[in-house]
Amino acid sequence: MTKEEILEQSRKENNDKDIFDFEVQKIAARTAFYSSFGLCALVSILSWIFAKRVSAQCWMIFFGMLTITFFVKYFKLKKLHELFVALGYLAIFCMLTLVFIMQLTGRL
């Protein structure tokens, strides 16, 4: 096989999608996840230092993001594990949403 034939076969197998592009997207998603976790932790620490309480809204958004991520993974991969993780994150998201609403209304 010539170099051109190998490249053509590779393009057909990958549906003209660039493997390097997939890897960059994967690294970017992982970096965004860890960065958002770090930012939530920083906001929580600063909130605790200055207000003596931790606000639920940044964690609510973080777990909402994780919930959506794992639901998308479940629907694309059809792996039951992804569904269970998504449901766990959904439960945490709902709990944090309730805490956030209670904080807004002054009940907590």
Side-chain angles (χ1 to χ4, degrees):
M1 287 176 82
T2 66
K3 182 179 175 182
E4 288 76 26
E5 291 172 339
I6 293 171
L7 287 172
E8 183 62 34
Q9 184 179 359
S10 176
R11 284 189 198 106
K12 286 180 184 177
E13 289 174 0
N14 295 319
N15 295 326
D16 288 327
K17 301 223 167 58
D18 188 8
I19 301 298
F20 179 72
D21 186 46
F22 285 135
E23 287 301 314
V24 169
Q25 288 181 25
K26 187 168 76 171
I27 291 168
R30 188 180 309 127
T31 304
F33 166 76
Y34 288 121
S35 298
S36 61
F37 178 80
L39 289 171
C40 284
L42 177 66
V43 167
S44 294
I45 291 168
L46 291 174
S47 178
W48 179 255
I49 290 171
F50 294 111
K52 299 296 183 222
R53 65 184 246 180
V54 176
S55 182
Q57 62 236 46
C58 69
W59 291 109
M60 180 184 75
I61 293 168
F62 180 74
F63 280 99
M65 177 188 70
L66 288 176
T67 300
I68 293 168
T69 300
F70 278 88
F71 271 124
V72 169
K73 286 173 69 174
Y74 168 70
F75 289 121
K76 295 287 184 181
L77 301 175
K78 302 294 187 215
K79 290 185 178 179
L80 201 55
H81 169 266
E82 307 296 335
L83 176 63
F84 289 135
V85 173
L87 292 173
Y89 285 143
L90 179 63
I92 295 170
F93 171 76
C94 291
M95 180 186 69
L96 288 168
T97 302
L98 182 63
V99 169
F100 175 62
I101 292 170
M102 290 174 69
Q103 285 177 342
L104 286 176
T105 60
R107 296 182 180 172
L108 188 67

